[in-house]
Amino acid sequence: MASIGKIARRTFLFGSLAIVGGVAVGAWYVNKPAPNPLKPGPDEAALNPFVLINADGITLIAPRAEMGQGTHTTWAALLAEELDVTLDQVTVLHGEPAQAYYNSALMGEGLNTKGYDDSSFQHALAGAVGKVGKVLSLQVTGGSTAMRDGYERMRVAGAAAREMLKEAAAQQLGVKAKELKTENGTIIAPDGTTLLYTDVAMAAAELDPPKVKLRPQSDWKILGKSIPRIDILGKSTGTAQFGIDTRLPGMKFASVRMSPKRGGMKSFDARDAKAMPGVEKVVDMGDGVAVIANNTWLAMQALDAIEVEWDDAPYDATTDAIFAKIEAGFDLEPNSTLRDDGKADALPKGATEVTAEYRVPFLSHATMEPQNATAWIDGRKLRVWSGNQAPGFTQSACAEEAGLDVDDVIVETTLMGGGFGRRGEFDFSVLATRVAKSVPGTPVQVTWSREEDMTHDFYRPGAIARMTGGVKDGTAVLLDARVSAPSVTKQAMNRWLGFTPGGPDRAITDSLFNQPYGIENYRVRGYQADTNPPMGFWRSVGASFNGFFSESFVDEMALAAGVDPLEFRLKLTRDEWEPAYNVLQAVKEMSGWTGETPDGVGRGVAMVYSFGSPAAIVIEVKDQDGDIRMTDAWIAVDPGVALDPSIIEAQLFGGMAYGLSAAIGEEITWADGEVEQLNFPDYEPLRIQQMPRVSVRVLETQEHIGGIGEVGTPPAAPALANAIFDLTGTRARSLPLNKEFSFFV
């Protein structure tokens, strides 16, 4: 996608001019308002890019995808709070690709600061960098940024719309707007006269949005409380429409079989497949084949009947070869040294040295809904229905595949049965477009088999950490960490933007260099390993493995210091950053932690700062007839502002389960260039009976709002590993844990 790459490179130039130099042209380009993409009909009023009012009521056009994390509910609540309507008066639709729907928080997340101790200037800088996302049309759901992105924007959108409606009503009634009140979608005049928002919406849309003052948290009526999810009825009754549920008149069904080695296709023989009743067409996809049939199952069966000869993989062909390259990464120059406090080259006098090496495997996203998309090329227009996390990138990539202008491509973003970063990619939408080109005028739904999904993922990278620490007088005095991993950022950005950004790769050491521990000599270096199996962003990205490295090693240092591991952490966080101390203190209280466990019981603790929020977990395990069983888990988090406690709780449950699932039994391996795990029997997730009882406490002590969607994942694996050590006396330094321990099922 060279055109996107050119735009992106040009955008980064404008961004740097605006942020660093304050150059007038750059600042104007970044800060000028994005055009309103809404084109209301004759009886509709668009008050801003997010608020559409017609006779049916109020519609929020939400630019962030709903994939089970509750974003649409909380965004609707943010809008409703300032618009003075009830939540049931707001309908939510996902917005089509548009610059106005850029993610204002995503690029700021990439700044190479520790985050937790950022100054006011650094927070302002992150906000300025975030505006570059507008120029990039960075309409992406990810990085636990949905609430950080929408927290102010949605309230401003609601407040501005409210004041526009009041002004239109004031002009109609011949009074001043400040004399009017609003309540539940109604404008009330001093004499008791009432007007519905729908009565004045058309006139309000002609007005310029005013500057507004947002309501203080103490005046909130909706936010800050647990409220019913707006998507729960549809998902409970089976009427919610996911990508795989798309049905169109005359639609055909297809599936694909692409190169398992991610290389080319030498040849294929489809004679047997073509002879199967109901098979309508076999499509040469270039590096694979597709079958179009009268149902999805038949298409998948026909693909199995096709004999294919594949080219070799363009990456190291075995797991051992890939990890040899990761290990060799330590011999390269560091790609980053994002933390270098004190003097980490030598052990302080009188300190006891602690060393350890850890490693983690590659991981699949393993979404419950396999990748799928529906495409329809009708004349010179393309329409795509897909559950995706990046509609703008999806639109551009599908336009390129179809040979159309971007304006001739419509992307409908559906609900999705799990994303975790996988649906930030656009390969499944592009392949659906490629199949649709072979049957112009006919909509075709392309659904991947589970095996195709598992073997054609963009995986969480494997990584190795080499840690050196020093303890003295009951505390840590040295932490020198080195992490080697291939660059997921480099690969993903090249796919998305057509070029690879330079500079330090934050993801390699994220949630290791920026942990809120007050250690005088603290250095973290990242090494970019020279190996390139297919990789992508996975829930919590680098924090997913660095949380394991950091918190396992902190436990080892506590043991060497002869100090209770939770007390060890409390001492290190107390003066460094209070919110981290607070979440640790919370799980101590919740779990009744004493530092002593009876025979047959183990407890472990971990605290990880990621995506703007500290999260601490205590996990208890028991020996059950020689197997390890998780019995209880206690989680505390501090996102600064708890917009909906029940959604936060659900995200922490899910994030922890996702992390535990990976920690216990998930691993992606290669042989002869092909992934060996084909389905859930080979890549076994956590069973429901393995899940511990979970208690959650949400704190609100930090100044800025933090993320939630991913923060439950990073501390899960180390908390479990530390609990297993407490139970068995055996230290786990590699994942998955089922290679060393037997778990209750």
Side-chain angles (χ1 to χ4, degrees):
M1 296 190 301
S3 59
I4 296 179
K6 289 177 183 177
I7 294 169
R9 285 189 286 271
R10 191 162 61 241
T11 298
F12 276 105
L13 174 61
F14 278 122
S16 63
L17 288 174
I19 295 162
V20 179
V23 176
V25 173
W28 172 82
Y29 192 74
V30 171
N31 289 308
K32 74 170 186 173
N36 188 342
L38 299 181
K39 298 177 176 62
D43 299 319
E44 296 179 318
L47 275 65
N48 54 53
F50 306 100
V51 180
L52 186 72
I53 299 180
N54 58 23
D56 295 326
I58 299 160
T59 298
L60 163 62
I61 308 300
R64 301 296 156 258
E66 177 59 68
M67 45 193 176
Q69 79 279 41
T71 289
H72 283 186
T73 297
T74 307
W75 272 54
L78 287 163
L79 180 77
E81 188 68 69
E82 292 287 349
L83 191 53
D84 268 346
V85 295
T86 57
L87 198 61
D88 60 2
Q89 291 178 285
V90 180
T91 299
V92 182
L93 298 177
H94 193 287
E96 293 184 4
Q99 188 184 58
Y101 301 138
Y102 76 100
N103 189 323
S104 66
L106 192 61
M107 292 196 69
E109 175 65 27
L111 291 178
N112 292 324
T113 65
K114 293 197 291 290
Y116 67 85
D117 64 348
D118 281 358
S119 64
S120 296
F121 170 76
Q122 287 170 318
H123 278 285
L125 180 61
V129 170
K131 291 183 180 180
V132 177
K134 174 172 54 183
V135 189
L136 274 171
S137 296
L138 200 64
Q139 188 179 345
V140 173
T141 303
S144 295
T145 56
M147 292 309 113
R148 287 182 285 172
D149 170 41
Y151 179 51
E152 185 172 304
R153 291 173 79 192
M154 280 302 93
R155 288 185 296 148
V156 168
R162 182 193 71 230
E163 294 305 310
M164 292 164 70
L165 292 163
K166 285 171 62 180
E167 179 59 35
Q171 293 179 11
Q172 181 174 325
L173 297 172
V175 299
K176 293 181 178 180
K178 65 181 181 181
E179 297 175 2
L180 301 176
K181 296 180 180 180
T182 55
E183 183 178 354
N184 296 339
T186 302
I187 303 165
I188 306 167
D191 63 358
T193 301
T194 61
L195 292 171
L196 298 175
Y197 283 177
T198 51
D199 295 334
V200 295
M202 299 296 288
E206 301 298 320
L207 303 174
D208 292 329
K211 290 185 178 181
V212 293
K213 184 178 180 180
L214 299 177
R215 292 171 176 170
Q217 191 169 346
S218 58
D219 291 344
W220 286 353
K221 299 176 182 178
I222 303 173
L223 295 171
K225 302 185 179 88
S226 294
I227 54 180
R229 292 268 299 258
I230 63 173
D231 54 348
I232 202 69
L233 178 62
K235 290 177 177 178
S236 299
T237 58
T239 57
Q241 295 293 297
F242 293 80
I244 208 167
D245 298 318
T246 302
R247 293 294 182 269
L248 300 168
M251 188 169 81
K252 302 298 181 181
F253 300 88
S255 193
V256 292
R257 184 178 169 199
M258 308 303 289
S259 171
K261 303 184 181 188
R262 306 293 180 99
M265 180 174 64
K266 293 180 180 178
S267 63
F268 71 94
D269 184 348
R271 283 175 292 182
D272 291 344
K274 290 178 180 178
M276 295 173 69
V279 169
E280 300 190 8
K281 191 169 189 176
V282 174
V283 183
D284 184 345
M285 302 287 279
D287 53 350
V289 290
V291 170
I292 302 174
N294 57 26
N295 67 75
T296 299
W297 178 242
L298 176 59
M300 291 179 179
Q301 296 283 87
L303 284 169
D304 289 339
I306 298 176
E307 296 181 7
V308 187
E309 186 178 1
W310 307 107
D311 282 329
D312 292 336
Y315 46 80
D316 300 298
T318 67
T319 307
D320 287 345
I322 291 169
F323 268 89
K325 290 283 186 68
I326 296 175
E327 196 157 5
F330 290 112
D331 298 327
L332 305 174
E333 289 296 314
N335 168 264
S336 69
T337 306
L338 297 179
R339 187 162 184 169
D340 194 2
D341 300 339
K343 298 178 181 179
D345 286 320
L347 191 69
K349 187 177 180 180
T352 299
E353 185 177 58
V354 186
T355 62
E357 179 176 297
Y358 305 91
R359 63 178 59 204
V360 295
F362 287 78
L363 294 172
S364 173
H365 294 84
T367 61
M368 285 292 101
E369 179 190 15
Q371 307 314 303
N372 67 89
T374 300
W376 185 3
I377 297 178
D378 187 10
R380 294 295 299 169
K381 298 286 185 181
L382 166 66
R383 195 165 183 176
V384 177
W385 291 259
S386 74
N388 71 87
Q389 295 174 241
F393 293 153
T394 298
Q395 182 187 44
S396 297
C398 291
E400 184 170 306
E401 174 64 36
L404 298 174
D405 291 336
V406 169
D407 291 343
D408 291 325
V409 177
I410 298 171
V411 174
E412 300 275 0
T413 299
T414 66
L415 295 174
M416 54 197 84
F420 316 122
R422 177 61 180 94
R423 287 187 161 92
E425 306 291 344
F426 39 74
D427 54 325
F428 50 95
S429 299
V430 169
L431 291 180
T433 301
R434 192 175 302 171
V435 174
K437 287 195 301 182
S438 71
V439 284
T442 300
V444 57
Q445 182 179 81
V446 180
T447 304
W448 296 22
S449 67
R450 175 59 61 191
E451 290 77 11
E452 193 72 15
D453 192 314
M454 188 75 75
T455 58
H456 289 81
D457 203 345
F458 293 96
Y459 306 100
R460 198 285 306 272
I464 301 173
R466 291 176 177 171
M467 314 284 281
T468 299
V471 294
K472 182 180 178 181
D473 299 330
T475 191
V477 294
L478 169 72
L479 176 57
D480 188 16
R482 297 191 296 150
V483 179
S484 179
S487 175
V488 59
T489 305
K490 188 175 178 180
Q491 266 201 25
M493 291 299 101
N494 196 48
R495 288 195 297 271
W496 288 3
L497 301 174
F499 80 105
T500 300
D505 188 338
R506 175 192 171 104
I508 292 176
T509 60
D510 196 18
S511 288
L512 182 52
F513 84 88
N514 52 350
Q515 288 311 283
Y517 288 130
I519 301 174
E520 182 179 359
N521 306 292
Y522 193 153
R523 179 173 63 184
V524 179
R525 288 169 286 178
Y527 298 80
Q528 199 174 91
D530 185 19
T531 184
N532 64 335
M535 296 174 293
F537 295 119
W538 189 90
R539 192 173 191 173
S540 76
V541 199
S544 67
F545 52 80
N546 284 313
F548 175 66
F549 298 155
S550 173
E551 287 303 282
S552 295
F553 192 63
V554 168
D555 235 54
E556 296 208 46
M557 287 198 291
L559 179 66
V563 178
D564 173 78
L566 205 158
E567 295 298 332
F568 190 75
R569 289 171 170 84
L570 285 169
K571 185 174 181 180
L572 291 173
T573 55
R574 181 179 289 112
D575 296 328
E576 182 69 13
W577 194 49
E578 189 174 354
Y581 174 86
N582 291 340
V583 295
L584 284 164
Q585 189 65 40
V587 291
K588 179 182 179 180
E589 295 170 2
M590 294 163 68
S591 64
W593 181 284
T594 63
E596 299 291 335
T597 50
D599 290 343
V601 176
R603 282 189 170 189
V605 62
M607 186 280 299
V608 179
Y609 170 78
S610 64
F611 305 96
S613 299
I617 294 179
V618 168
I619 289 179
E620 182 177 275
V621 297
K622 290 184 178 179
D623 183 317
Q624 183 164 324
D625 299 325
D627 291 334
I628 294 170
R629 180 171 191 171
M630 295 181 290
T631 56
D632 287 279
W634 298 268
I635 311 174
V637 68
D638 188 346
V641 182
L643 296 174
D644 187 320
S646 63
I647 286 180
I648 292 174
E649 181 178 277
Q651 283 298 285
L652 293 172
F653 270 55
M656 186 188 73
Y658 200 70
L660 291 175
S661 197
I664 291 174
E666 297 178 355
E667 179 181 27
I668 289 295
T669 58
W670 280 267
D672 193 27
E674 298 185 22
V675 166
E676 295 181 290
Q677 290 71 30
L678 303 179
N679 208 318
F680 288 122
D682 309 318
Y683 191 86
E684 190 170 358
L686 197 70
R687 304 290 184 90
I688 192 168
Q689 67 268 26
Q690 292 178 294
M691 187 71 178
R693 292 183 295 265
V694 186
S695 300
V696 171
R697 184 177 297 178
V698 182
L699 308 180
E700 298 179 86
T701 67
Q702 68 159 315
E703 182 179 356
H704 300 281
I705 188 169
I708 280 296
E710 296 164 277
V711 302
T713 300
L720 175 58
N722 293 338
I724 291 172
F725 174 78
D726 187 43
L727 174 67
T728 67
T730 300
R731 178 67 64 183
R733 292 190 175 129
S734 65
L735 301 178
L737 295 167
N738 65 0
K739 288 188 171 183
E740 293 184 71
F741 305 97
S742 177
F743 288 88
F744 166 84
V745 178

